[in-house]
PDB file of all heavy atoms in Angstrom:
ATOM      1  N   LEU A 223      78.705  92.967 101.321  1.00 90.00           N
ATOM      2  CA  LEU A 223      78.609  93.347 102.756  1.00 90.00           C
ATOM      3  C   LEU A 223      77.421  92.726 103.457  1.00 90.00           C
ATOM      4  O   LEU A 223      77.531  92.189 104.594  1.00 90.00           O
ATOM      5  CB  LEU A 223      78.547  94.837 102.949  1.00 90.00           C
ATOM      6  CG  LEU A 223      79.864  95.636 102.848  1.00 90.00           C
ATOM      7  CD1 LEU A 223      79.626  97.145 102.721  1.00 90.00           C
ATOM      8  CD2 LEU A 223      80.745  95.392 104.025  1.00 90.00           C
ATOM      9  N   GLU A 224      76.299  92.668 102.809  1.00 89.00           N
ATOM     10  CA  GLU A 224      75.116  92.063 103.356  1.00 89.00           C
ATOM     11  C   GLU A 224      75.261  90.531 103.421  1.00 89.00           C
ATOM     12  O   GLU A 224      74.848  89.933 104.410  1.00 89.00           O
ATOM     13  CB  GLU A 224      73.900  92.399 102.466  1.00 89.00           C
ATOM     14  CG  GLU A 224      72.583  91.805 102.945  1.00 89.00           C
ATOM     15  CD  GLU A 224      72.143  92.466 104.250  1.00 89.00           C
ATOM     16  OE1 GLU A 224      72.483  93.621 104.521  1.00 89.00           O
ATOM     17  OE2 GLU A 224      71.351  91.800 104.964  1.00 89.00           O
ATOM     18  N   LYS A 225      75.883  89.987 102.410  1.00 87.00           N
ATOM     19  CA  LYS A 225      76.024  88.509 102.325  1.00 87.00           C
ATOM     20  C   LYS A 225      76.936  87.985 103.462  1.00 87.00           C
ATOM     21  O   LYS A 225      76.638  87.010 104.121  1.00 87.00           O
ATOM     22  CB  LYS A 225      76.535  88.104 100.972  1.00 87.00           C
ATOM     23  CG  LYS A 225      76.762  86.663 100.828  1.00 87.00           C
ATOM     24  CD  LYS A 225      77.320  86.305  99.471  1.00 87.00           C
ATOM     25  CE  LYS A 225      77.636  84.853  99.319  1.00 87.00           C
ATOM     26  NZ  LYS A 225      78.308  84.573  98.091  1.00 87.00           N
ATOM     27  N   ASN A 226      78.117  88.667 103.617  1.00 81.00           N
ATOM     28  CA  ASN A 226      79.085  88.118 104.572  1.00 81.00           C
ATOM     29  C   ASN A 226      78.833  88.615 106.012  1.00 81.00           C
ATOM     30  O   ASN A 226      79.475  88.108 106.941  1.00 81.00           O
ATOM     31  CB  ASN A 226      80.519  88.330 104.103  1.00 81.00           C
ATOM     32  CG  ASN A 226      80.943  89.745 104.054  1.00 81.00           C
ATOM     33  OD1 ASN A 226      80.579  90.532 104.957  1.00 81.00           O
ATOM     34  ND2 ASN A 226      81.772  90.142 103.120  1.00 81.00           N
ATOM     35  N   ALA A 227      78.083  89.676 106.170  1.00 75.00           N
ATOM     36  CA  ALA A 227      77.706  90.177 107.455  1.00 75.00           C
ATOM     37  C   ALA A 227      78.884  90.548 108.365  1.00 75.00           C
ATOM     38  O   ALA A 227      78.827  90.592 109.580  1.00 75.00           O
ATOM     39  CB  ALA A 227      76.783  89.323 108.204  1.00 75.00           C
ATOM     40  N   SER A 228      80.052  90.821 107.674  1.00 78.00           N
ATOM     41  CA  SER A 228      81.245  91.188 108.462  1.00 78.00           C
ATOM     42  C   SER A 228      81.373  92.655 108.722  1.00 78.00           C
ATOM     43  O   SER A 228      82.076  93.134 109.604  1.00 78.00           O
ATOM     44  CB  SER A 228      82.471  90.687 107.795  1.00 78.00           C
ATOM     45  OG  SER A 228      82.658  91.410 106.581  1.00 78.00           O
ATOM     46  N   GLY A 229      80.688  93.439 107.897  1.00 85.00           N
ATOM     47  CA  GLY A 229      80.740  94.909 108.022  1.00 85.00           C
ATOM     48  C   GLY A 229      81.896  95.526 107.317  1.00 85.00           C
ATOM     49  O   GLY A 229      82.138  96.714 107.330  1.00 85.00           O
ATOM     50  N   ILE A 230      82.705  94.640 106.597  1.00 91.00           N
ATOM     51  CA  ILE A 230      83.892  95.170 105.884  1.00 91.00           C
ATOM     52  C   ILE A 230      84.177  94.291 104.680  1.00 91.00           C
ATOM     53  O   ILE A 230      83.869  93.106 104.651  1.00 91.00           O
ATOM     54  CB  ILE A 230      85.091  95.208 106.807  1.00 91.00           C
ATOM     55  CG1 ILE A 230      86.296  95.964 106.211  1.00 91.00           C
ATOM     56  CG2 ILE A 230      85.517  93.776 107.256  1.00 91.00           C
ATOM     57  CD1 ILE A 230      87.384  96.246 107.211  1.00 91.00           C
ATOM     58  N   VAL A 231      84.675  94.883 103.649  1.00 94.00           N
ATOM     59  CA  VAL A 231      85.174  94.164 102.482  1.00 94.00           C
ATOM     60  C   VAL A 231      86.634  94.565 102.269  1.00 94.00           C
ATOM     61  O   VAL A 231      87.022  95.681 102.560  1.00 94.00           O
ATOM     62  CB  VAL A 231      84.329  94.400 101.197  1.00 94.00           C
ATOM     63  CG1 VAL A 231      82.969  93.804 101.339  1.00 94.00           C
ATOM     64  CG2 VAL A 231      84.259  95.841 100.841  1.00 94.00           C
ATOM     65  N   ILE A 232      87.401  93.680 101.640  1.00 94.00           N
ATOM     66  CA  ILE A 232      88.776  93.854 101.443  1.00 94.00           C
ATOM     67  C   ILE A 232      88.981  94.074  99.967  1.00 94.00           C
ATOM     68  O   ILE A 232      88.539  93.254  99.141  1.00 94.00           O
ATOM     69  CB  ILE A 232      89.666  92.651 101.926  1.00 94.00           C
ATOM     70  CG1 ILE A 232      89.400  92.413 103.391  1.00 94.00           C
ATOM     71  CG2 ILE A 232      91.060  92.808 101.614  1.00 94.00           C
ATOM     72  CD1 ILE A 232      89.880  91.092 103.894  1.00 94.00           C
ATOM     73  N   VAL A 233      89.626  95.165  99.588  1.00 96.00           N
ATOM     74  CA  VAL A 233      89.823  95.577  98.168  1.00 96.00           C
ATOM     75  C   VAL A 233      91.156  95.132  97.743  1.00 96.00           C
ATOM     76  O   VAL A 233      92.170  95.406  98.401  1.00 96.00           O
ATOM     77  CB  VAL A 233      89.562  97.078  97.989  1.00 96.00           C
ATOM     78  CG1 VAL A 233      89.736  97.436  96.525  1.00 96.00           C
ATOM     79  CG2 VAL A 233      88.234  97.521  98.565  1.00 96.00           C
ATOM     80  N   VAL A 234      91.198  94.409  96.574  1.00 95.00           N
ATOM     81  CA  VAL A 234      92.488  94.010  95.983  1.00 95.00           C
ATOM     82  C   VAL A 234      92.576  94.460  94.578  1.00 95.00           C
ATOM     83  O   VAL A 234      91.591  94.770  93.909  1.00 95.00           O
ATOM     84  CB  VAL A 234      92.567  92.403  96.028  1.00 95.00           C
ATOM     85  CG1 VAL A 234      92.671  91.952  97.490  1.00 95.00           C
ATOM     86  CG2 VAL A 234      91.451  91.776  95.310  1.00 95.00           C
ATOM     87  N   ASP A 235      93.780  94.524  94.081  1.00 94.00           N
ATOM     88  CA  ASP A 235      94.046  94.963  92.707  1.00 94.00           C
ATOM     89  C   ASP A 235      93.981  93.794  91.741  1.00 94.00           C
ATOM     90  O   ASP A 235      93.641  92.679  92.178  1.00 94.00           O
ATOM     91  CB  ASP A 235      95.347  95.739  92.549  1.00 94.00           C
ATOM     92  CG  ASP A 235      96.572  94.882  92.869  1.00 94.00           C
ATOM     93  OD1 ASP A 235      96.488  93.670  92.990  1.00 94.00           O
ATOM     94  OD2 ASP A 235      97.689  95.505  93.083  1.00 94.00           O
ATOM     95  N   ASP A 236      94.375  93.951  90.473  1.00 92.00           N
ATOM     96  CA  ASP A 236      94.331  92.912  89.506  1.00 92.00           C
ATOM     97  C   ASP A 236      95.214  91.783  89.775  1.00 92.00           C
ATOM     98  O   ASP A 236      95.043  90.649  89.252  1.00 92.00           O
ATOM     99  CB  ASP A 236      94.680  93.459  88.087  1.00 92.00           C
ATOM    100  CG  ASP A 236      93.658  94.467  87.585  1.00 92.00           C
ATOM    101  OD1 ASP A 236      92.470  94.401  88.068  1.00 92.00           O
ATOM    102  OD2 ASP A 236      93.965  95.284  86.753  1.00 92.00           O
ATOM    103  N   LYS A 237      96.304  92.008  90.640  1.00 93.00           N
ATOM    104  CA  LYS A 237      97.231  90.927  91.023  1.00 93.00           C
ATOM    105  C   LYS A 237      96.895  90.349  92.329  1.00 93.00           C
ATOM    106  O   LYS A 237      97.712  89.671  93.003  1.00 93.00           O
ATOM    107  CB  LYS A 237      98.616  91.481  90.986  1.00 93.00           C
ATOM    108  CG  LYS A 237      99.112  92.004  89.656  1.00 93.00           C
ATOM    109  CD  LYS A 237     100.433  92.583  89.720  1.00 93.00           C
ATOM    110  CE  LYS A 237     100.891  93.156  88.324  1.00 93.00           C
ATOM    111  NZ  LYS A 237     102.116  93.815  88.429  1.00 93.00           N
ATOM    112  N   ASP A 238      95.627  90.637  92.858  1.00 90.00           N
ATOM    113  CA  ASP A 238      95.181  90.129  94.137  1.00 90.00           C
ATOM    114  C   ASP A 238      96.036  90.688  95.323  1.00 90.00           C
ATOM    115  O   ASP A 238      96.135  90.037  96.334  1.00 90.00           O
ATOM    116  CB  ASP A 238      95.062  88.635  94.188  1.00 90.00           C
ATOM    117  CG  ASP A 238      93.884  88.086  93.422  1.00 90.00           C
ATOM    118  OD1 ASP A 238      92.966  88.894  93.210  1.00 90.00           O
ATOM    119  OD2 ASP A 238      93.899  86.933  92.987  1.00 90.00           O
ATOM    120  N   GLN A 239      96.621  91.889  95.126  1.00 94.00           N
ATOM    121  CA  GLN A 239      97.426  92.468  96.193  1.00 94.00           C
ATOM    122  C   GLN A 239      96.483  93.391  97.010  1.00 94.00           C
ATOM    123  O   GLN A 239      95.623  94.124  96.419  1.00 94.00           O
ATOM    124  CB  GLN A 239      98.520  93.293  95.590  1.00 94.00           C
ATOM    125  CG  GLN A 239      99.614  92.463  94.842  1.00 94.00           C
ATOM    126  CD  GLN A 239     100.328  91.528  95.788  1.00 94.00           C
ATOM    127  OE1 GLN A 239     100.806  91.982  96.851  1.00 94.00           O
ATOM    128  NE2 GLN A 239     100.462  90.310  95.404  1.00 94.00           N
ATOM    129  N   PHE A 240      96.603  93.424  98.290  1.00 94.00           N
ATOM    130  CA  PHE A 240      95.790  94.252  99.155  1.00 94.00           C
ATOM    131  C   PHE A 240      95.949  95.742  98.785  1.00 94.00           C
ATOM    132  O   PHE A 240      96.993  96.220  98.610  1.00 94.00           O
ATOM    133  CB  PHE A 240      96.226  94.008 100.585  1.00 94.00           C
ATOM    134  CG  PHE A 240      95.537  94.880 101.585  1.00 94.00           C
ATOM    135  CD1 PHE A 240      94.253  94.579 101.997  1.00 94.00           C
ATOM    136  CD2 PHE A 240      96.164  96.019 102.138  1.00 94.00           C
ATOM    137  CE1 PHE A 240      93.594  95.369 102.951  1.00 94.00           C
ATOM    138  CE2 PHE A 240      95.538  96.860 103.031  1.00 94.00           C
ATOM    139  CZ  PHE A 240      94.283  96.530 103.436  1.00 94.00           C
ATOM    140  N   VAL A 241      94.785  96.378  98.676  1.00 96.00           N
ATOM    141  CA  VAL A 241      94.746  97.811  98.378  1.00 96.00           C
ATOM    142  C   VAL A 241      94.165  98.576  99.602  1.00 96.00           C
ATOM    143  O   VAL A 241      94.709  99.616  99.965  1.00 96.00           O
ATOM    144  CB  VAL A 241      93.923  98.137  97.135  1.00 96.00           C
ATOM    145  CG1 VAL A 241      93.751  99.615  96.950  1.00 96.00           C
ATOM    146  CG2 VAL A 241      94.434  97.446  95.904  1.00 96.00           C
ATOM    147  N   GLY A 242      93.142  98.047 100.191  1.00 96.00           N
ATOM    148  CA  GLY A 242      92.494  98.730 101.327  1.00 96.00           C
ATOM    149  C   GLY A 242      91.206  98.063 101.719  1.00 96.00           C
ATOM    150  O   GLY A 242      90.963  96.932 101.329  1.00 96.00           O
ATOM    151  N   THR A 243      90.464  98.819 102.522  1.00 96.00           N
ATOM    152  CA  THR A 243      89.162  98.242 103.019  1.00 96.00           C
ATOM    153  C   THR A 243      88.007  99.240 102.758  1.00 96.00           C
ATOM    154  O   THR A 243      88.258 100.439 102.530  1.00 96.00           O
ATOM    155  CB  THR A 243      89.221  97.961 104.506  1.00 96.00           C
ATOM    156  OG1 THR A 243      89.473  99.164 105.218  1.00 96.00           O
ATOM    157  CG2 THR A 243      90.299  96.928 104.837  1.00 96.00           C
ATOM    158  N   VAL A 244      86.819  98.713 102.797  1.00 96.00           N
ATOM    159  CA  VAL A 244      85.626  99.555 102.675  1.00 96.00           C
ATOM    160  C   VAL A 244      84.587  98.987 103.656  1.00 96.00           C
ATOM    161  O   VAL A 244      84.374  97.790 103.761  1.00 96.00           O
ATOM    162  CB  VAL A 244      85.003  99.495 101.251  1.00 96.00           C
ATOM    163  CG1 VAL A 244      83.707 100.240 101.180  1.00 96.00           C
ATOM    164  CG2 VAL A 244      85.990 100.074 100.257  1.00 96.00           C
ATOM    165  N   THR A 245      84.020  99.869 104.467  1.00 94.00           N
ATOM    166  CA  THR A 245      82.927  99.510 105.343  1.00 94.00           C
ATOM    167  C   THR A 245      81.581 100.107 104.887  1.00 94.00           C
ATOM    168  O   THR A 245      81.610 100.944 103.945  1.00 94.00           O
ATOM    169  CB  THR A 245      83.241 100.055 106.767  1.00 94.00           C
ATOM    170  OG1 THR A 245      83.185 101.491 106.750  1.00 94.00           O
ATOM    171  CG2 THR A 245      84.550  99.600 107.272  1.00 94.00           C
ATOM    172  N   ASP A 246      80.546  99.630 105.493  1.00 91.00           N
ATOM    173  CA  ASP A 246      79.244 100.224 105.102  1.00 91.00           C
ATOM    174  C   ASP A 246      79.177 101.721 105.368  1.00 91.00           C
ATOM    175  O   ASP A 246      78.569 102.473 104.694  1.00 91.00           O
ATOM    176  CB  ASP A 246      78.102  99.465 105.786  1.00 91.00           C
ATOM    177  CG  ASP A 246      78.184  99.419 107.312  1.00 91.00           C
ATOM    178  OD1 ASP A 246      79.303  99.759 107.840  1.00 91.00           O
ATOM    179  OD2 ASP A 246      77.241  99.121 107.954  1.00 91.00           O
ATOM    180  N   GLY A 247      79.870 102.170 106.417  1.00 94.00           N
ATOM    181  CA  GLY A 247      79.904 103.623 106.745  1.00 94.00           C
ATOM    182  C   GLY A 247      80.641 104.397 105.650  1.00 94.00           C
ATOM    183  O   GLY A 247      80.208 105.506 105.346  1.00 94.00           O
ATOM    184  N   ASP A 248      81.699 103.810 105.134  1.00 95.00           N
ATOM    185  CA  ASP A 248      82.389 104.488 104.028  1.00 95.00           C
ATOM    186  C   ASP A 248      81.465 104.706 102.837  1.00 95.00           C
ATOM    187  O   ASP A 248      81.474 105.756 102.186  1.00 95.00           O
ATOM    188  CB  ASP A 248      83.600 103.681 103.553  1.00 95.00           C
ATOM    189  CG  ASP A 248      84.662 103.504 104.680  1.00 95.00           C
ATOM    190  OD1 ASP A 248      84.868 104.428 105.459  1.00 95.00           O
ATOM    191  OD2 ASP A 248      85.287 102.424 104.697  1.00 95.00           O
ATOM    192  N   ILE A 249      80.704 103.688 102.561  1.00 94.00           N
ATOM    193  CA  ILE A 249      79.772 103.749 101.413  1.00 94.00           C
ATOM    194  C   ILE A 249      78.681 104.788 101.708  1.00 94.00           C
ATOM    195  O   ILE A 249      78.321 105.584 100.826  1.00 94.00           O
ATOM    196  CB  ILE A 249      79.174 102.378 101.100  1.00 94.00           C
ATOM    197  CG1 ILE A 249      80.253 101.463 100.575  1.00 94.00           C
ATOM    198  CG2 ILE A 249      78.019 102.511 100.127  1.00 94.00           C
ATOM    199  CD1 ILE A 249      79.858  99.975 100.324  1.00 94.00           C
ATOM    200  N   ARG A 250      78.166 104.830 102.952  1.00 94.00           N
ATOM    201  CA  ARG A 250      77.157 105.831 103.244  1.00 94.00           C
ATOM    202  C   ARG A 250      77.638 107.242 103.060  1.00 94.00           C
ATOM    203  O   ARG A 250      76.977 108.103 102.505  1.00 94.00           O
ATOM    204  CB  ARG A 250      76.691 105.626 104.718  1.00 94.00           C
ATOM    205  CG  ARG A 250      75.679 104.492 104.921  1.00 94.00           C
ATOM    206  CD  ARG A 250      74.993 104.582 106.231  1.00 94.00           C
ATOM    207  NE  ARG A 250      75.954 104.619 107.331  1.00 94.00           N
ATOM    208  CZ  ARG A 250      76.383 103.552 108.033  1.00 94.00           C
ATOM    209  NH1 ARG A 250      76.002 102.368 107.659  1.00 94.00           N
ATOM    210  NH2 ARG A 250      77.185 103.694 109.036  1.00 94.00           N
ATOM    211  N   ARG A 251      78.883 107.456 103.528  1.00 95.00           N
ATOM    212  CA  ARG A 251      79.460 108.821 103.427  1.00 95.00           C
ATOM    213  C   ARG A 251      79.633 109.175 101.930  1.00 95.00           C
ATOM    214  O   ARG A 251      79.407 110.318 101.510  1.00 95.00           O
ATOM    215  CB  ARG A 251      80.782 108.867 104.145  1.00 95.00           C
ATOM    216  CG  ARG A 251      80.672 109.059 105.657  1.00 95.00           C
ATOM    217  CD  ARG A 251      81.956 109.292 106.287  1.00 95.00           C
ATOM    218  NE  ARG A 251      82.805 108.082 106.405  1.00 95.00           N
ATOM    219  CZ  ARG A 251      82.649 107.101 107.233  1.00 95.00           C
ATOM    220  NH1 ARG A 251      81.648 107.127 108.130  1.00 95.00           N
ATOM    221  NH2 ARG A 251      83.428 106.035 107.231  1.00 95.00           N
ATOM    222  N   GLU A 252      80.061 108.190 101.082  1.00 95.00           N
ATOM    223  CA  GLU A 252      80.240 108.397  99.651  1.00 95.00           C
ATOM    224  C   GLU A 252      78.886 108.745  98.964  1.00 95.00           C
ATOM    225  O   GLU A 252      78.791 109.650  98.144  1.00 95.00           O
ATOM    226  CB  GLU A 252      80.898 107.241  99.004  1.00 95.00           C
ATOM    227  CG  GLU A 252      81.261 107.480  97.549  1.00 95.00           C
ATOM    228  CD  GLU A 252      82.403 108.518  97.370  1.00 95.00           C
ATOM    229  OE1 GLU A 252      83.174 108.737  98.293  1.00 95.00           O
ATOM    230  OE2 GLU A 252      82.452 109.064  96.279  1.00 95.00           O
ATOM    231  N   MET A 253      77.837 108.087  99.422  1.00 94.00           N
ATOM    232  CA  MET A 253      76.495 108.312  98.859  1.00 94.00           C
ATOM    233  C   MET A 253      76.015 109.679  99.218  1.00 94.00           C
ATOM    234  O   MET A 253      75.322 110.319  98.416  1.00 94.00           O
ATOM    235  CB  MET A 253      75.526 107.221  99.332  1.00 94.00           C
ATOM    236  CG  MET A 253      75.888 105.751  98.872  1.00 94.00           C
ATOM    237  SD  MET A 253      75.902 105.517  97.099  1.00 94.00           S
ATOM    238  CE  MET A 253      74.211 105.636  96.755  1.00 94.00           C
ATOM    239  N   LEU A 254      76.305 110.084 100.456  1.00 95.00           N
ATOM    240  CA  LEU A 254      75.865 111.450 100.879  1.00 95.00           C
ATOM    241  C   LEU A 254      76.590 112.557 100.071  1.00 95.00           C
ATOM    242  O   LEU A 254      76.109 113.648  99.978  1.00 95.00           O
ATOM    243  CB  LEU A 254      76.157 111.678 102.366  1.00 95.00           C
ATOM    244  CG  LEU A 254      75.215 110.867 103.308  1.00 95.00           C
ATOM    245  CD1 LEU A 254      75.707 110.964 104.785  1.00 95.00           C
ATOM    246  CD2 LEU A 254      73.777 111.384 103.153  1.00 95.00           C
TER     247      LEU A 254
END
């Protein structure tokens, strides 16, 4: 997230199929 500065990452499975997204806010909530 820091490297690409987009504010979002795209999560894929082992077959490179789209699973979902994660934002920095999602991570903050999980850490809390």
Side-chain angles (χ1 to χ4, degrees):
L223 280 167
E224 181 68 25
K225 179 181 174 187
N226 68 36
S228 66
I230 193 169
V231 291
I232 301 167
V233 182
V234 294
D235 64 14
D236 294 338
K237 297 177 184 176
D238 287 336
Q239 297 292 314
F240 176 80
V241 175
T243 60
V244 175
T245 65
D246 56 344
D248 297 327
I249 292 174
R250 280 194 306 270
R251 283 186 288 280
E252 188 67 25
M253 299 297 290
L254 288 171

